[in-house]
Every structure is written in structure tokens, then in C-alpha cells.
């Protein structure tokens, strides 16, 4: 009776799912295993072959799993960086074709070797042909995302995933019966027309809607969700699996949402709820006795894993020969294209659930279980290889001529800087907390003083429906008091001050809009030490200002007066313009205070000595070209614990200037793990520098 209550009650089923999603992934991550592995194991334990607390056939699990399946493919399309793809389009096409065709042929060979039908064999091949960019956060953290080998691999994902889903659609149609050459042509023509409608129609409609809706993020969020499910339903109407439509919808709205807060919200709701439900359901489908039996006759699993690893390497090796990439680039491309998660698992589930008129599955439990093992092996193996060899790409990039890329005001030439000074260099300073306001104003005043500019203290009063609301009156009075205090502090530095009060519903947009209206060159913000780290870094105000600001944003945690800063440390992980900008920001503060700047580079122990020396020489050349007479030293440390080394070395400094590195994940964009760990470990003053549209 109790068991029936648990499996029949939607609320209880949903509660169990939430409990699993909340508690299991962190446990597995502590064991250094992917969190999604924990969800699969939880599904196996709680399913009909275990505790019988969850049932894959229940309406609740089935609905959430279906949503998670299409959401997973939607996010896969949404996360493809079309900007990077356009830069290396032709080479991405070549690698995409090779890393699709070679595994496809290998998979077909495996299928026929184990006496599968031609249709099932082709589907197995398509399962191996796609890949998931599971190790993208690693190359982002290492600062090598602009390396051509990385951008080519990212771009190739479009072709591998699209091709795999197209093959899936054909195989599913053939397995359903009554599938002739005419029906195949009809399906392909319908798919082509449908794809054009989704890719171009949704893109146009999305841009028009976003333009007309302005900042109404709730409606924009609903529009994107509607686009996802309309595309999925449309795919089913023309006889194609719905995950094909979801992936195309992700590609279609990719440019529309860009890197906006709406995109973060879209991916967030999928990564914390729907996608985990899909992985739990995958676990529920695993028949434990059959899984053990599959492992007992392990040859199918072994051959599939070997075929995938070998074929992906062959594809990367062929591209290496064609475009003369070095070994580090070869191994990075191979490792990035190894993990089989998103498209592979979604397509496997579709194939497993597809029945013909005789009730036969397109692929059986043995293939399903083998793909689960394949996912486990490649999701661990791929990132490990990437972290080992991507570090060797770190100093082989060609984007080191920072003086030719004036992305920020501190990277301009003398003539450009003079022109900006004539336009009144402006530092915008949102003020709210009287306890931290003095140090914040001092920081802004020092920079404005150095640039012969002005500061713009800005107070935001939260809007009310009625402009005569007493609460609004109180808020305006408090704002006036804070601005008066800001003026008094600024007078100590002999800089021009222009105060501003803004009434707005959205504090972050008020900051960004006022900064734009006043042509601010820099926004200096503060965060409280008393709030949680995640709230400080990912909070709505700071995060939204990062997204929407037209100029660099410096988020500060100052534990002492900026006037007393004598030693500044700047971790330098790579030589991209954004990283060098952090050093040049520190240079200005050091020039005002006659302080010392130390550029700290933490190198992996596996990095060859000649590459470390090359990096040091390149960094020295950049420092030598500085126009400011600042005491700058370079310190190189060999340590595999990057965050720990930075925290240890920074203890003797008054200020640490960090770059806000953000990377793509299934759950959106997040500050890099190294930056997060450094901020957690440091007790002194910090500046977290982010650039416009980071």
C-alpha cells in the first residue's frame, strides 16, 4: 500500500526527485566523479529494480524526463559559440565532417560485427559521431579558447550533433515500418523546410520580440521557452524526433539571447531541474541484472568504447595532417571531442524507446548499457586529457599583440587618451552602504585623479507606483545624504565631482544606463564581506551590471584605504588582452601611490621549461612597452594548485587584482573555479575586473 502511494502520487514522486537532485550530485563530486553519474546511480537504486520508489512510466517522471531531454538538446544548441565558429568556419566544417564520418563508419562496423541489423548499426554509428564539449570550462580557465584548434572543435559540434540527429530521425522512421525511398525523400525535404523555418524564422522573430520588449526579462524568458517547445512539437508533426527540433531551436535563438541574463536564467532552470530529471530517468531504465549481464559479456561494451576513442583520434589526426597542427593541438581536439553525453544519451534513449509494429526495440538493453559505460569512460577521460595537454597551448596563441587591440581605456595610445581626457574621463561609483562608501570613493578618486577626470557618485532610489510615496521620500533623502558624503570625500583628492540620483525599478540597469548617459569610462562597485561568496559574485545587481555595462566594471572588496596600497599582485594566467588589462588597471593605482606591482604566473608542473621561458619573455616584452614608470616585477611559480599558490603568494600584498573569467556550462556562465577559490582564500583587498560584454 505504501509503495503504491509513493509511485502513484505525483507530489511524492516530485519530492523524491528534488531530494535526489539536491543531495546526490554534491556527494559524487566530492568523490571526484561527475554529478550526473550520481543521478544515474540514484535512478538505478530507486527504480523498479531497486527500492521501487520511482517509476519511469509514471506521468510525473515521464513528463519531467521528456522536458529534460529536449531541454538538454536545446542547451547543446544554445551553448555553441557561433562567433567563434564564424572565425574558423571552413576548418570547422572539415573537422566536423571527419569527426562525424569516421566514428559513424566505426559504429556501423561494430554493429555488423555483433550481428545487428543495418538500421541499428547505423544508429550505433550516429551515437558515436556526436560529442559534448564537457571540457570547455578547462580550456576557458586556461585562457586558450581563442586557439584555432579549440575554436575549430567548438564549431565542429554544430555538424556532429546535427548530423547525428538527422541519422537518428531516419533510423527511427525506418524502424517504424512502411519506409520507402519516396518517404525518405519526403522526410528529408520536410526536414530541410522545417529547419529553414526554425533557424531563420525563430531568429528573426526573436530579434524582433527582444527589440520590442526592451528589458522585460520575464516575457523574453517565456518567448524562448515557447520557441523551444514549438520547435519540438513541429519536429514531431513532420515525423522527426522532438530532440532534433529542440537542438535547432537552440541554434536559432543563439544570437538572439547572446550572453544576456535571460540566457543564464534559461540554462539555470534546465540545469537545476529538468536535465537532472532526464538523467535520473536514464538510471530508472537501467535493468541492474541486465546491466551486470552486459558487463559479464563485456565485449560489445569494450569494442564500442575502443571504436569511439580510436575513431575520434583518427579524425583529429587527419585534421592535424591537413592543417599542420602540433601534437598539443591534436590531443586537445581529440580530448574535447571524446565525451559522449548530451546528444548521445538523448538519442540512445529515443532509440531504446522506439518500437516497431512487432514491439521490437530499435536498440536493446545491451546497447543502452554499453552507452552508459561509454558516457562514464569518456566524461572522465576527456577532461583529464584536456587538462593535461591544453596547458601546452597556453603560450602558442597568436593573440598577444595587445597594443593593437585597444579594448579598454587603459590600453589606448597617447593620442587616444588625450582625446578621451578632453571628453572628461568619468568614473561612475554607485553608492549604497555608508560603511564601505569611503574606500570606494577613494578608489574612484585615485583613478580619476590619475586620468585628470571626474567621478560620478550615483545613488539609486527604488521606484514606487506613486511618486509621492513616503518610502520613496525617505529613500531620496538617504540618497542625498550619501551623495553629500561622497562629495566631501572627493574634495580631499581635488577631483571634479558630478552627483546623480536615479529612480528606477531595476538597480543594475539604472547603473548601466546612467553610466552610458554620462559616457563613463569605468564603473567602480563594491560588495559586502558579510554576504555569502556566491551572493556577492552571482548576485543580480553585480551580475547584471557585468552583462549590460558598456565599459569595464571593477568590483571591489577593500579592507583598508586605497591610499595606503604599496604592493599589488596580479595573477597572469595567459596573455590575452583582457588579462593584460587587469595588469594595466593595477599599473594606474601603483603609479598614483608609487607602489610595486608583481605579475604572478603559476605554471603547471607538466609544462615544458622552454614554454615557461617563452611565456616569461613575452610577458617581459609587454611590460617593457608600458608607458608608465611603475616598479613591475614578474614572478613565475611551478605549482599544480593554481588557486592555492595565488592565495599563498598574495598574503603579503595590499591588493590583488583579478580578472573575472567566465565560462560556459550546462547551467549558464560562472566565474572560474580558480577565481572563486582565490577570493575565498584571500583576506586582503580585492578588485575583480570585468570588461564590457565579457
Amino acid at each position: 500500500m505504501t509503495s503504491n502511494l509513493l509511485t502513484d502520487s505525483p507530489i511524492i514522486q516530485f519530492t523524491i526527485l528534488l531530494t535526489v537532485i539536491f543531495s546526490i550530485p554534491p556527494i559524487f563530486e566530492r568523490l571526484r566523479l561527475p554529478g550526473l553519474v550520481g543521478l544515474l546511480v540514484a535512478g538505478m537504486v530507486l527504480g523498479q529494480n531497486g527500492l521501487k520508489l520511482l517509476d519511469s512510466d509514471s506521468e510525473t517522471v515521464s513528463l519531467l524526463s521528456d522536458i529534460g531531454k529536449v531541454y538538454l538538446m536545446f542547451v547543446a544548441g544554445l551553448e555553441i559559440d557561433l562567433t567563434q565558429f564564424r572565425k574558423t568556419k571552413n576548418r570547422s566544417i572539415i573537422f566536423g565532417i571527419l569527426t562525424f564520418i569516421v566514428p559513424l563508419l566505426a559504429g556501423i562496423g561494430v554493429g555488423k560485427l555483433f550481428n545487428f541489423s543495418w538500421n541499428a548499426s547505423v544508429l550505433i554509428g550516429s551515437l558515436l559521431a556526436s560529442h559534448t564539449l564537457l571540457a570547455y570550462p578547462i580550456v576557458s580557465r586556461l585562457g586558450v579558447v581563442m586557439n584555432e584548434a579549440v575554436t575549430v572543435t567548438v564549431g565542429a559540434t554544430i555538424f556532429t550533433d546535427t548530423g547525428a540527429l538527422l541519422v537518428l530521425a531516419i533510423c527511427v522512421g525506418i524502424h517504424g515500418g512502411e519506409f520507402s525511398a519516396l518517404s525518405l525523400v519526403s522526410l528529408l525535404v520536410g526536414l530541410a523546410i522545417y529547419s529553414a523555418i526554425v533557424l531563420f524564422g525563430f531568429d528573426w522573430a526573436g530579434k524582433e520580440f527582444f527589440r520590442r520588449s526592451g528589458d522585460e526579462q520575464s516575457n523574453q524568458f517565456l518567448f524562448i521557452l515557447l520557441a523551444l517547445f514549438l520547435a519540438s512539437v513541429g519536429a514531431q508533426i513532420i515525423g522527426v524526433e522532438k530532440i532534433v527540433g529542440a537542438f535547432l531551436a537552440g541554434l536559432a535563438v543563439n544570437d538572439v539571447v547572446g550572453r544576456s541574463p535571460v540566457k543564464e536564467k534559461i540554462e539555470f532552470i534546465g540545469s537545476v531541474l529538468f536535465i537532472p530529471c532526464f538523467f535520473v530517468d536514464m538510471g530508472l531504465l537501467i535493468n541492474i541484472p541486465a546491466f551486470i549481464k552486459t558487463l559479464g559479456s563485456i565485449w560489445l561494451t569494450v569494442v564500442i568504447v575502443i571504436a569511439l576513442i580510436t575513431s575520434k583520434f583518427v579524425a583529429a589526426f587527419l585534421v592535424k595532417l591537413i592543417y599542420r597542427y602540433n601534437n598539443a593541438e591534436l590531443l586537445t581536439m581529440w580530448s574535447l571531442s571524446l565525451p559522449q553525453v548530451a546528444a548521445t544519451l538523448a538519442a540512445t534513449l529515443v532509440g531504446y524507446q522506439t518500437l516497431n509494429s512487432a514491439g521490437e526495440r530499435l536498440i536493446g538493453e545491451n546497447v543502452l548499457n554499453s552507452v552508459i559505460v561509454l558516457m562514464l569512460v569518456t566524461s572522465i577521460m576527456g577532461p583529464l586529457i584536456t587538462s593535461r595537454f591544453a596547458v601546452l597551448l597556453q603560450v602558442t596563441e597568436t593573440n598577444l599583440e595587445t597594443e593593437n587591440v585597444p579594448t579598454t581605456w587603459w590600453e589606448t595610445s597617447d593620442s587616444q587618451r588625450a582625446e578621451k581626457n578632453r571628453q572628461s574621463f568619468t568614473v561612475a561609483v554607485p553608492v549604497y552602504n555608508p560603511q564601505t562608501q569611503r574606500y570606494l570613493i577613494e578608489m574612484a578618486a585615485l583613478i580619476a585623479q590619475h586620468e585628470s577626470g571626474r567621478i560620478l557618485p550615483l545613488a539609486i532610489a527604488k521606484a514606487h507606483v506613486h511618486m509621492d510615496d513616503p518610502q520613496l521620500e525617505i529613500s531620496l533623502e538617504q540618497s542625498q545624504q550619501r551623495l553629500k558624503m561622497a562629495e566631501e570625500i572627493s574634495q580631499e583628492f581635488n577631483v571634479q565631482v558630478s552627483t546623480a540620483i536615479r529612480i528606477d525599478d531595476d538597480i543594475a540597469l539604472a547603473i548601466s544606463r546612467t553610466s552610458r548617459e554620462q559616457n563613463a569610462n569605468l564603473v567602480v562597485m563594491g560588495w559586502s564581506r558579510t554576504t555569502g561568496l556566491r551572493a556577492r559574485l552571482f548576485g543580480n545587481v553585480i551580475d547584471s551590471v557585468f552583462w549590460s555595462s558598456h565599459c569595464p566594471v571593477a568590483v571591489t572588496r577593500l579592507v583598508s584605504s586605497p591610499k595606503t596600497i604599496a604592493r599589488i599582485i596580479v595573477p597572469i594566467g595567459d596573455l590575452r588582452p583582457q588579462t593584460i588589462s587587469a595588469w594595466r588597471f593595477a599599473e594606474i593605482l601603483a603609479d598614483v601611490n608609487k607602489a610595486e606591482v608583481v605579475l604572478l604566473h603559476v605554471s603547471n608542473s607538466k609544462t615544458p621549461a622552454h614554454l615557461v621561458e617563452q611565456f616569461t619573455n613575452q610577458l617581459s616584452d609587454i611590460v617593457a612597452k608600458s608607458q608608465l614608470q611603475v616598479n613591475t616585477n614578474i614572478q613565475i611559480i611551478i605549482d599544480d594548485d593554481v588557486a592555492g599558490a595565488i592565495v599563498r603568494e598574495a598574503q603579503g600584498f595590499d591588493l590583488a587584482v583579478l580578472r573575472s573569467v567566465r565560462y560556459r556550462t550546462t547551467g549558464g556562465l560562472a566565474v572560474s573555479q580558480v577565481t572563486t577559490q582565490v577570493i575565498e582564500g584571500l583576506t586582503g583587498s580585492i578588485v575583480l575586473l570585468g570588461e564590457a560584454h565579457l
Side-chain angles (χ1 to χ4, degrees), residues 551-608:
C551 63
V553 179
V555 181
T556 65
R557 185 188 74 191
L558 301 172
V559 299
S560 60
S561 172
K563 295 185 295 183
T564 64
I565 292 174
R567 301 189 74 210
I568 304 174
I569 188 169
V570 185
I572 301 289
D574 55 68
L575 297 179
R576 287 188 292 172
Q578 296 88 343
T579 305
I580 302 304
S581 296
W583 160 57
R584 293 191 171 165
F585 177 87
E587 258 199 320
I588 290 177
L589 291 178
D591 194 39
V592 173
N593 287 349
K594 306 303 178 186
E596 174 195 12
V597 175
V598 172
L599 304 181
L600 174 67
H601 176 66
V602 182
S603 181
N604 191 291
S605 61
K606 297 182 177 66
T607 305

Side-chain angles (χ1 to χ4, degrees), residues 152-446:
V152 164
T153 308
V154 172
T157 309
I158 297 177
F159 299 96
T160 58
D161 286 5
T162 304
L165 294 176
L166 175 62
V167 173
L168 171 71
I170 295 173
C171 291
V172 169
I174 292 175
H175 191 70
E178 300 179 3
F179 202 80
S180 61
L182 179 63
S183 61
L184 174 60
V185 172
S186 175
L187 174 65
L188 292 177
V189 171
L191 183 60
I193 297 173
Y194 163 78
S195 299
I197 293 174
V198 172
L199 291 175
F200 298 105
F202 282 29
D203 179 63
W204 173 83
K207 289 176 179 176
E208 282 295 307
F209 182 81
F210 271 56
R211 182 177 63 83
R212 295 174 185 274
S213 61
D215 300 317
E216 298 175 8
Q217 292 186 18
S218 58
N219 286 337
Q220 292 172 354
F221 176 80
L222 290 175
F223 175 87
I224 297 300
L225 280 186
L226 180 61
L228 161 61
F229 289 104
L230 278 177
S232 300
V233 171
Q236 289 181 295
I237 291 175
I238 67 168
V240 177
E241 176 54 38
K242 52 184 173 286
I243 62 175
V244 178
F247 179 73
L248 292 175
L251 289 177
V253 301
N254 196 310
D255 274 339
V256 176
V257 298
R259 297 184 177 184
S260 66
V262 174
K263 179 180 180 180
E264 185 177 6
K265 293 176 174 61
I266 292 166
E267 294 181 323
F268 175 78
I269 191 173
S271 65
V272 301
L273 179 60
F274 296 125
I275 294 175
C277 287
F278 165 71
F279 282 110
V280 173
D281 187 40
M282 284 289 293
L284 294 176
L285 293 174
I286 297 174
N287 186 318
I288 296 178
F291 188 76
I292 296 173
K293 184 179 179 181
T294 299
L295 295 181
S297 54
I298 202 170
W299 288 114
L300 174 62
T301 304
V302 170
V303 172
I304 284 180
V305 172
I306 292 176
L308 181 278
I309 294 173
T310 304
S311 60
K312 289 292 184 182
F313 181 83
V314 169
F317 183 75
L318 292 174
V319 171
K320 172 186 183 284
L321 295 179
I322 295 172
Y323 297 117
R324 298 182 179 179
Y325 292 137
N326 58 39
N327 288 332
E329 290 170 326
L330 158 68
L331 294 171
T332 301
M333 295 179 75
W334 173 50
S335 62
L336 283 174
S337 61
L338 266 183
Q340 304 293 301
V341 182
T344 304
L345 287 182
T348 301
L349 183 59
V350 171
Y352 178 73
Q353 294 176 334
T354 299
L355 304 175
N356 61 13
S357 56
E360 298 172 339
R361 298 186 185 275
L362 178 51
I363 56 174
E365 285 185 347
N366 54 350
V367 177
L368 173 67
N369 295 335
S370 296
V371 170
I372 296 295
V373 174
L374 177 68
M375 183 272 294
L376 295 176
V377 172
T378 57
S379 64
I380 294 173
M381 182 179 175
L384 285 176
I385 298 174
T386 301
S387 62
R388 170 65 180 85
F389 292 102
V391 69
L392 302 180
L393 304 179
Q394 193 163 326
V395 294
T396 61
E397 293 188 50
T398 58
N399 302 304
L400 303 178
E401 298 298 324
T402 57
E403 64 273 13
N404 296 326
V405 192
T407 58
T408 53
W409 53 268
W410 49 79
E411 293 187 75
T412 56
S413 64
D414 288 337
S415 60
Q416 291 172 317
R417 180 170 294 185
E419 177 63 26
K420 286 182 178 293
N421 285 341
R422 285 195 293 271
Q423 298 173 359
S424 185
F425 179 88
T426 302
V427 182
V429 193
V431 292
Y432 177 77
N433 186 352
Q435 296 180 346
T436 60
Q437 180 174 331
R438 166 167 281 279
Y439 293 164
L440 203 60
I441 295 296
E442 287 183 0
M443 171 71 78
L446 286 173

